[in-house]
């Protein structure tokens, strides 16, 4: 396989007589995926060149030619007619080689006081930072849609579940606001990760820093970082920012998957709580009655890619000694795919939730069945007849058994039947057996009462404003 006629690498081939084996080139090259970093790479190089001029390491005229040349490379890539080369390994060397072709000798001065190790760490940080911003924006859009759903249905009654068994009636708004809280935590995780990642590795050079009188504060500021990273070994070997992004994405993905799962259940023929709009469902080629929740199913499934990416990068990093190792090149595809998947899932969920039709009649009918107000009955016995809760639970249990035997629900039992279980039960108990009274009574902070839900909605609308 060895092709000895191939010339050695122009960027680092000084001591190499022959070029790499084709398979070596295939395993080594990252250009097929790291070309996505072109804008960050050029931005970083322009900041570096400007700093080299400001510190007198480069002449102003060289720096100017480099800066202009880099803009030309940028526009060539953006126009889609850039000849990416696998032999040039990665985005850094592709850009630099093209710069050399455009401006000649000054291009060779750009890499002064820099290494691909701090270059790639800087480029990737800039890219991940943009993705954290995008996640924050997308999560805010999703939360707004969920708050709007909650406001519309603050008093729609639905069954609340534990073990996916009817537990107690809750309100639609309450259920929606639960997800708002979850996605708000996700958003704050991205915000927090963004703050921590906002330090600049550029100027760490290969690992030890450099003897050139560079100004790392200048490049950090030019690239929108809060400060340069304080330790050059850490600067080139750290990928915590990517791990934190993936960890935040993983938790967020779990939330998206849980909501997707609810949509799949709720839209089934057995539930019919919700219907997806035509825009968000597909039909079956054989069964004309079908309206499938494909987007929800795919969100649920694709989330595995995000979780997998997190596991993959943790695995890459866990055995690496300081500082840079080539293993770290494996960070990018995982994060790219996880970010793409997350953004698509967030956008699809936002679209589905804003177009969702809620069948309030079905929700209420389901909430009213399955003895959902049994706890209300037990609470009534505690409150009105002074029974210990354990005894009230027992009495209610016997009434549930009776209703089950008769094939009816609790409010359908006669007063005599109620009294047969406990003489303290009176006509007044029927009021708490209705689902609306049940939810209205749950006024504890954060509870399901429509007033409480409206308070949550108002709080979030204030936070968005
Ligand atoms: N393509 C490489 C990466 O993504 C860039 C850094 C290469 N550094 C090196 N010393 N070979 O990690």
């Amino acid at each position: 396989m060895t092709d000895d006629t191939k010339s050695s690498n122009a960027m680092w081939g000084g001591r190499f007589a022959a070029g790499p084996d084709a398979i070596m080139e295939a395993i080594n090259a990252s250009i097929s995926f790291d070309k996505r970093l072109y804008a960050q790479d050029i931005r970083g190089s322009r900041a570096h060149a400007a700093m080299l001029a400001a510190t007198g390491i480069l002449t102003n005229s060289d720096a100017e030619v480099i800066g202009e040349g880099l803009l030309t490379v940028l526009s060539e890539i953006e126009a889609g007619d850039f000849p990416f080369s696998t032999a040039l390994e990665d985005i850094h060397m592709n850009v630099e080689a093209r710069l050399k072709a455009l401006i000649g000798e000054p291009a060779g001065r750009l890499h002064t006081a820099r290494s691909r190790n701090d270059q790639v760490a800087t480029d990737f940080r800039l890219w991940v930072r943009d993705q954290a911003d995008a996640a924050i924006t997308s999560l805010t859009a999703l939360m707004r849609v969920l708050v709007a759903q909650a406001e519309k249905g603050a008093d729609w009654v639905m069954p609340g579940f534990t073990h996916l068994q009817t537990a107690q009636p809750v309100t639609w708004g309450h259920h929606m606001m639960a997800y708002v809280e979850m996605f708000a935590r996700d958003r704050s995780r991205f915000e927090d990760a963004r703050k921590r990642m906002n330090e600049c590795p550029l100027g760490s050079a290969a690992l030890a820093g450099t003897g050139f009188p560079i100004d790392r504060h200048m490049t950090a500021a030019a690239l929108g970082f809060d400060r340069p990273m304080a330790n050059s070994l850490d600067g080139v070997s750290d990928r915590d920012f990517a791990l934190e992004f993936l960890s935040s994405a993983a938790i967020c993905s779990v939330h998206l998957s849980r909501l997707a799962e609810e949509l799949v259940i709720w839209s089934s023929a057995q539930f019919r709580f919700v219907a997806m709009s035509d825009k968000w469902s597909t039909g079956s080629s054989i069964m004309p009655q079908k309206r499938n929740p494909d987007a929800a199913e795919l969100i649920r499934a694709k989330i595995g890619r995000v979780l997998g990416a997190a596991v993959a990068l943790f695995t890459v990093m866990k055995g690496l000694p300081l500082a840079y190792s080539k293993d770290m090149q494996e960070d990018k595809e995982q994060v790219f795919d996880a970010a793409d998947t997350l953004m698509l899932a967030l956008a699809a969920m936002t679209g589905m939730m804003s177009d969702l039709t809620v069948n309030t009649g079905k929700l209420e009918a389901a909430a009213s069945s399955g003895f959902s107000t049994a706890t209300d009955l037990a609470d009534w016995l505690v409150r009105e007849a002074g029974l210990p809760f354990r005894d009230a639970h027992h009495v209610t249990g016997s009434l549930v058994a009776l209703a089950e035997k008769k094939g009816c629900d609790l409010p359908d039992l006669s007063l005599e039947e109620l009294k047969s279980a406990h003489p303290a039960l009176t006509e007044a108990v029927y009021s708490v057996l209705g689902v609306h009274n049940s939810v209205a009574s749950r006024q504890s902070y954060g509870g399901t009462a429509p007033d409480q839900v409206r308070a949550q909605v108002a709080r979030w609308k204030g936070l968005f404003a």
Side-chain angles (χ1 to χ4, degrees):
M1 298 290 283
T2 315
D3 176 7
D4 283 332
T5 58
K6 221 186 220 168
S7 61
S8 68
N9 189 291
M11 299 290 165
W12 45 251
R15 63 177 287 232
F16 287 75
D21 187 281
I23 292 176
M24 174 60 198
E25 193 171 283
I27 196 171
N28 198 37
S30 53
I31 188 61
S32 64
F33 50 87
D34 71 12
K35 60 181 164 204
R36 272 184 89 160
L37 298 177
Y38 73 89
Q40 290 76 14
D41 192 70
I42 289 170
R43 192 177 164 199
S45 286
R46 280 173 52 82
H48 183 66
M51 180 279 290
L52 291 178
T55 50
I57 300 167
L58 272 194
T59 64
N60 283 333
S61 69
D62 276 350
E64 210 151 291
V65 176
I66 289 170
E68 286 301 311
L70 285 167
L71 286 183
T72 307
V73 177
L74 180 66
S75 57
E76 286 178 359
I77 296 176
E78 265 161 7
D81 58 7
F82 189 88
F84 288 109
S85 149
T86 309
L88 288 167
E89 264 186 60
D90 57 25
I91 186 63
H92 324 295
M93 299 210 285
N94 270 268
V95 168
E96 194 182 317
R98 181 63 191 145
L99 185 67
K100 180 123 195 276
L102 287 169
I103 66 169
E105 193 253 13
R109 300 184 187 279
L110 172 61
H111 215 50
T112 314
R114 184 178 78 167
S115 150
R116 275 189 296 156
N117 298 350
D118 58 338
Q119 194 178 355
V120 72
T122 305
D123 295 0
F124 197 35
R125 239 172 226 261
L126 289 170
W127 194 90
V128 175
R129 191 177 72 182
D130 283 349
Q131 295 300 309
D133 287 338
I136 291 163
T137 305
S138 300
L139 277 164
T140 305
L142 175 55
M143 288 160 65
R144 282 175 182 276
V145 164
L146 294 171
V147 168
Q149 278 285 358
E151 188 168 32
K152 229 176 10 181
D155 54 9
W156 298 345
V157 181
M158 67 181 283
F161 299 95
T162 61
H163 315 263
L164 198 55
Q165 308 284 321
T166 302
Q168 293 173 347
V170 295
T171 49
W172 173 261
H174 196 215
H175 203 113
M176 292 297 108
M177 293 310 291
Y179 280 100
V180 171
E181 294 295 325
M182 293 149 80
F183 290 125
R185 286 194 297 274
D186 294 333
R187 192 175 65 167
S188 77
R189 267 184 281 275
F190 282 113
E191 286 166 350
D192 197 37
R194 190 202 194 282
K195 269 184 227 143
R196 230 180 336 270
M197 77 175 68
N198 206 29
E199 295 187 340
C200 188
L202 194 59
S204 298
L207 73 167
T210 175
F212 291 99
I214 58 171
D215 182 349
R216 292 192 58 208
H217 293 273
M218 182 180 167
T219 40
L223 297 171
F225 288 109
D226 294 331
R227 62 192 79 85
M229 290 182 76
N231 181 302
S232 64
L233 287 170
D234 183 42
V236 291
S237 69
D238 171 55
R239 291 294 181 275
D240 288 2
F241 62 97
L243 293 173
E244 281 199 62
F245 176 80
L246 290 176
S247 305
S248 308
I251 301 176
C252 178
S253 295
V254 168
H255 295 155
L256 284 167
S257 190
R258 292 181 76 176
L259 181 51
E261 168 69 357
E262 304 226 64
L263 291 174
V264 171
I265 295 172
W266 291 349
S267 62
S268 69
Q270 288 68 27
F271 275 74
R272 285 278 176 263
F273 286 2
V274 300
M276 313 286 186
S277 75
D278 287 356
K279 284 199 289 187
W280 296 101
S281 34
T282 59
S284 156
S285 53
I286 177 167
M287 296 165 283
Q289 85 282 12
K290 290 292 279 291
R291 174 184 275 280
N292 295 329
D294 293 39
E297 295 171 84
L298 286 166
I299 290 171
R300 192 176 58 182
K302 277 178 186 289
I303 279 345
R305 304 164 73 124
V306 180
L307 306 183
V311 172
L313 188 55
F314 275 108
T315 310
V316 166
M317 294 307 296
K318 74 175 184 57
L320 298 185
L322 301 188
Y324 178 85
S325 295
K326 192 66 175 241
D327 310 50
M328 287 154 74
Q329 180 166 286
E330 284 293 308
D331 56 1
K332 283 172 271 307
E333 279 174 296
Q334 301 295 345
V335 175
F336 289 162
D337 188 65
D340 291 345
T341 304
L342 180 71
M343 300 311 154
L344 185 60
L346 282 168
M349 186 57 86
T350 305
M352 255 190 312
M353 291 308 297
S354 68
D355 283 358
L356 199 67
T357 306
V358 183
N359 188 339
T360 54
K362 275 276 185 198
L363 284 185
E364 184 158 336
S368 308
S369 69
F371 316 107
S372 67
T373 52
T375 317
D376 298 84
L377 198 161
D379 286 350
W380 187 93
L381 283 167
V382 170
R383 226 175 24 244
E384 306 294 329
L387 265 66
F389 182 78
R390 287 293 167 220
D391 298 348
H393 184 284
H394 194 79
V395 170
T396 308
S398 71
L399 286 169
V400 168
L402 177 62
E404 207 163 27
K405 203 164 97 203
K406 290 188 65 187
C408 67
D409 217 299
L410 289 173
D412 308 318
L413 295 174
S414 70
L415 188 56
E416 285 90 88
E417 285 167 328
L418 294 181
K419 279 188 180 300
S420 72
H422 198 281
L425 285 161
T426 69
E427 190 72 37
V429 77
Y430 286 102
S431 73
V432 301
L433 298 182
V435 288
H436 285 280
N437 287 336
S438 168
V439 294
S441 73
R442 298 216 149 70
Q443 288 284 356
S444 53
Y445 177 81
T448 204
D451 292 347
Q452 286 296 325
V453 172
R454 289 194 184 97
Q456 293 181 44
V457 166
R459 183 176 152 262
W460 274 108
K461 285 174 86 173
L463 291 172
F464 289 145

